[in-house]
Amino acid sequence: LPQEMAEFQRHNAFEYSHSHWKLIKPKLAEMLRAKPANSAPKTVSAPEGWSAPTPPKPANSSPETVSAPAALSAPTPPKPANSSPKTVSAPVVLSAPTPPKPADSKLALDWCDVVAADPDPAVVTDAAARARMTATKFPWKVRDRKTGIVMLLCPPGEFMMGSPASEAGRSDDEAQHRVTITKPFYLSETEVTQEVWQKVMGANPSMFNGASNPVEHVSWNDCQKFCQSSGLRLATESEWEYACRAGTTTAHSFGASITQRQANFGSGGTVACGSLPANQWGFREMHGNVWEWCEDVYQATASSAQDAVNGNSSSNRVLRGGAWINDSSSVRSSYRSSNSPVNTPYLIGFRVARAPL
């Protein structure tokens, strides 16, 4: 710039007098005319600390590619109003979807661990019984966390309790009547073992020692103490026969007759729990081995309800299943006996039950 216009170079704004403007105006016009339209631009070094402004883009001109100075960031060009939007792929962040809950999924139980969710067809051979078990939404086989006892699910259903008049060995207190089991329940797969009893109660009163053999020499009152300390209970008499029959109507769950390969009776002592064949729902040694205490007070006619029949503390309590010393007639599904709740014969043990929730 000429000396008269040097102030433009040093200031953003400068006030000129009218006389001064008349002096420099011709020189400014001469400078503007001096640059030909097609001449190459003259490279001018910018003063230190000065950033060149971005020139406006003519409305109808083609964009000229200009390299920005190192210290400048190129502005983002405006998007034309009629341009097609550019498709940009967003970064893919995948997270595993939560699978839907199956309609037949099992309900969680906080007192046990699941051993088998669904009934084993090789054990529960009746398809209708398996369907009723599955319909409850509870797992079929579980392990109680406090005691380690394995328990099997019994579904709601109906059965004929007692025995027909034609059944050999029948007693007068076995009158047949229909019983409805309205609520599912769990029952231990075997009788309570000596190992489990000692773990909970701290001592083993049994005559026939063996960790896996059923505990005996225990009274009904003793069994109540065991159950109260572990959150379990004795089965009611109707629940016991329902599980023992497992859908059968014959004298024994194995048929009209029974052998010593199927049950421990007419022998010299107890055998290990779980060592003999299971019935059609998976329960073992429900015939023979040791008599099993039930919750109910003994009455001449068994109750028609699933709930226990209660009585005073001295009333005899129901015994079921027969023992190792008895004959085949006394280990029938419907055979009933009783004893005082304080007695501890070496023929008597028990198994435990529990409601799912």
Side-chain angles (χ1 to χ4, degrees), residues 193-313:
T193 65
Q194 295 173 32
E195 179 182 20
V196 170
W197 179 273
Q198 189 159 358
K199 173 184 174 182
V200 175
M201 304 298 285
N204 183 10
S206 304
M207 176 178 177
F208 299 101
N209 287 328
S212 297
N213 284 38
V215 67
E216 12 90 4
H217 258 309
V218 290
S219 69
W220 185 89
N221 289 338
D222 293 333
C223 294
Q224 292 298 320
K225 292 176 183 177
F226 175 94
C227 291
Q228 289 166 7
S229 65
S230 56
L232 303 170
R233 63 174 174 83
L234 295 176
T236 67
E237 185 178 13
S238 60
E239 287 175 339
W240 190 97
E241 187 169 330
Y242 182 60
C244 178
R245 288 190 176 279
T248 63
T249 58
T250 50
H252 308 88
S253 63
F254 297 102
S257 60
I258 197 167
T259 69
Q260 290 178 322
R261 290 186 176 182
Q262 296 168 319
N264 178 28
F265 64 94
S267 70
T270 62
V271 297
C273 295
S275 61
L276 294 172
N279 71 6
Q280 290 84 338
W281 286 0
F283 296 104
R284 298 174 183 270
E285 291 87 45
M286 295 202 80
H287 303 289
N289 217 21
V290 290
W291 286 98
E292 299 178 16
W293 288 112
C294 290
E295 187 69 25
D296 302 64
V297 165
Y298 176 82
Q299 296 185 120
T301 302
S303 172
S304 297
Q306 180 176 1
D307 296 334
V309 174
N310 299 312
N312 60 56
S313 59

Side-chain angles (χ1 to χ4, degrees), residues 9 44-52:
Q9 186 172 315
V44 179
S45 300
E48 183 179 356
W50 180 80
S51 297

Side-chain angles (χ1 to χ4, degrees), residues 337-352:
S337 187
S338 66
N339 210 316
S340 168
V342 300
N343 286 350
T344 59
Y346 60 86
L347 300 174
I348 301 178
F350 71 114
R351 71 178 70 217
V352 290

Side-chain angles (χ1 to χ4, degrees), residues 109-150:
L109 304 176
D110 59 4
W111 55 271
C112 63
D113 297 314
V114 177
V115 177
D118 297 309
D120 185 350
V123 178
V124 185
T125 54
D126 180 45
R130 291 199 305 273
R132 296 206 317 274
M133 292 175 185
T134 301
T136 66
K137 306 298 183 184
F138 296 116
W140 171 59
K141 181 182 286 192
V142 299
R143 187 184 305 275
D144 177 58
R145 289 177 185 159
K146 287 187 178 180
T147 63
I149 294 174
V150 174

